Amino acid sequence: MNYSRIAQLVKAARLYYESGYDQSEIAKELSVSRSYVSKLLAEAKEQQIVTFRIHDPIDTESDLERTIRTAFNLRKVIVTSAPLESNAASSVAQKAAQWLSQTVRSGDVIGMGWGRTLYLMSKYLPRRSDISGVEVVSLYGQQHKMRQNVFNTESLTYMAEAFNATTYLLTSPVSFSNVKLKNEFLREQSMISVMDCLRRANIVVFTIGSIKRSSYLDQPGMLTDEELRQAYANDGIGDVCLHIIDRNGSICLPEFDERLVSIPLDILRQKDYRIAVAAGRYKTEAVYSALKGGIMNVLIIDEDIARDIVERINAKKRR
């Protein structure tokens, strides 16, 4: 390639990418046609005179994220920072929405939990007009009585709108008084199709609660006083997809768990993307327990939780 040709390619590229000229202005500057400018710009890329590097801040891994990811062999860890703890949920929700939107592809089946942080996440999801055939399904049943809004269905509605998806709603109580009633209810034809969709899900998104401050456990008609005492006696720490877990991430209340309408933890662990979203330092113990239990492989948390978990990782190394 001769030097005059190189000079012409470089000048066209500089005018377009550095000076902000449009192609008509470049054509006038170089005394060529607009279509010829288009050819010059394409050739500049082909000859690698112009190269691009896309910097995605979501894919830039911090020391905190790397430490947690490697310690628990996760696919991805995202740590967000917020000036105040009250903003942590919003910050985590925005990052979760960004990462999930980048991850979802046509034909994916997404299992979705409920709770305030997931509700915020669903509202932040951008609309994806480039994908099709997505389905979203409830991960667990619905509260029949609430002291505070846990957004039973709103999150699914916003997610379905963002991904132009078909929605499967698990219109079941969170738990039944006995296992027989639960099994009979789930044999209804409408519930069979929902449960089948849940089994086909390749992505699940859920939050983690602390047993001491749970918007789920605190609702009327959930755990009895005796069950709550038993949970504490069995070293109960928090809930994942409404399952009460202990410090090792194992089921803490087997009898209650049998009556629960939720994706079983052994099925959850088989999903391609198991995305746990949590905000608030008080959830550290529950998040750490879920990590030890291998429940999630993607973790999106605030900086306070992340620092506490890294301290535990480092303390374990020193022993």
Side-chain angles (χ1 to χ4, degrees):
M1 186 182 295
N2 61 53
Y3 288 111
S4 61
R5 181 64 169 177
I6 294 174
Q8 190 179 40
L9 292 174
V10 170
K11 186 170 184 180
R14 286 192 182 281
L15 288 171
Y16 187 75
Y17 292 105
E18 294 181 351
S19 301
Y21 281 42
D22 62 28
Q23 293 188 19
S24 296
E25 291 170 327
I26 297 172
K28 186 177 180 180
E29 180 76 16
L30 300 182
S31 300
V32 297
S33 67
R34 187 181 183 282
S35 62
Y36 190 70
V37 171
S38 180
K39 291 179 180 178
L40 288 174
L41 294 173
E43 188 176 342
K45 286 189 285 187
E46 289 173 6
Q47 299 298 331
Q48 294 190 334
I49 291 170
V50 174
T51 59
F52 296 99
R53 180 179 180 272
I54 297 174
H55 173 70
D56 185 351
I58 295 179
D59 282 339
T60 302
E61 191 174 50
S62 69
D63 290 340
L64 283 175
E65 293 165 339
R66 187 180 304 105
T67 299
I68 297 171
R69 179 180 58 80
T70 56
F72 296 100
N73 194 28
L74 306 181
R75 294 184 70 150
K76 183 70 176 176
V77 175
I78 298 174
V79 175
T80 72
S81 59
L84 298 171
E85 184 170 326
S86 59
N87 294 327
S90 179
S91 177
V92 167
Q94 288 184 57
K95 287 292 187 181
Q98 285 179 302
W99 191 83
L100 180 63
S101 182
Q102 291 183 3
T103 302
V104 172
R105 299 289 181 266
S106 293
D108 281 338
V109 182
I110 309 168
M112 180 71 167
W114 39 251
R116 179 172 174 267
T117 305
L118 294 187
Y119 168 70
L120 292 173
M121 183 204 76
S122 68
K123 291 188 70 176
Y124 286 126
L125 285 169
R127 289 182 177 268
R128 290 279 307 275
S129 59
D130 60 315
I131 57 176
S132 61
V134 176
E135 298 170 292
V136 298
V137 58
S138 309
L139 280 179
Y140 28 83
Q142 301 178 55
Q143 297 279 27
H144 70 283
K145 185 178 179 181
M146 293 177 283
R147 291 195 183 98
Q148 58 179 299
N149 193 359
V150 294
F151 306 100
N152 279 274
T153 60
E154 293 91 332
S155 301
L156 262 74
T157 300
Y158 281 116
M159 178 176 282
E161 289 176 353
F163 297 139
N164 192 28
T166 302
T167 305
Y168 289 81
L169 190 61
L170 186 50
T171 53
S172 161
V174 168
S175 64
F176 284 80
S177 56
N178 62 69
V179 178
K180 182 180 178 181
L181 281 175
K182 167 189 163 181
N183 292 337
E184 288 178 356
F185 183 87
L186 295 181
R187 280 197 291 268
E188 289 291 330
Q189 190 60 45
S190 60
M191 289 297 98
I192 290 174
S193 63
V194 176
M195 299 306 288
D196 175 67
C197 185
L198 188 55
R199 280 188 289 270
R200 290 188 288 107
N202 60 311
I203 300 172
V204 291
V205 189
F206 54 92
T207 190
I208 298 173
S210 166
I211 198 169
K212 295 178 180 178
R213 289 176 58 182
S214 172
S215 59
Y216 150 61
L217 298 177
D218 190 45
Q219 301 296 336
M222 292 309 303
L223 294 181
T224 65
D225 291 341
E226 175 57 33
E227 286 172 330
L228 192 56
R229 283 193 292 270
Q230 186 179 350
Y232 280 116
N234 292 348
D235 217 11
I237 291 297
D239 65 273
V240 175
C241 292
L242 312 187
H243 301 279
I244 313 300
I245 61 169
D246 61 20
R247 293 183 184 278
N248 295 313
S250 301
I251 296 298
C252 181
L253 294 176
E255 292 183 4
F256 170 77
D257 211 71
E258 289 182 0
R259 297 186 282 108
L260 186 67
V261 179
S262 176
I263 181 172
L265 288 187
D266 58 339
I267 300 298
L268 177 69
R269 290 187 178 98
Q270 298 173 20
K271 303 302 183 182
D272 295 335
Y273 290 96
R274 311 186 299 277
I275 307 166
V277 182
R281 175 171 278 168
Y282 67 93
K283 292 187 176 183
T284 297
E285 197 77 54
V287 172
Y288 187 64
S289 299
L291 283 168
K292 289 196 293 183
I295 294 173
M296 72 284 270
N297 63 3
V298 175
L299 179 62
I300 305 174
I301 51 176
D302 62 65
E303 191 172 348
D304 286 341
I305 297 177
R307 291 191 181 281
D308 285 352
I309 289 175
V310 168
E311 284 183 11
R312 293 164 190 260
I313 293 170
N314 292 336
K316 187 175 180 181
K317 289 179 180 177
R318 291 192 294 267
R319 290 174 191 164

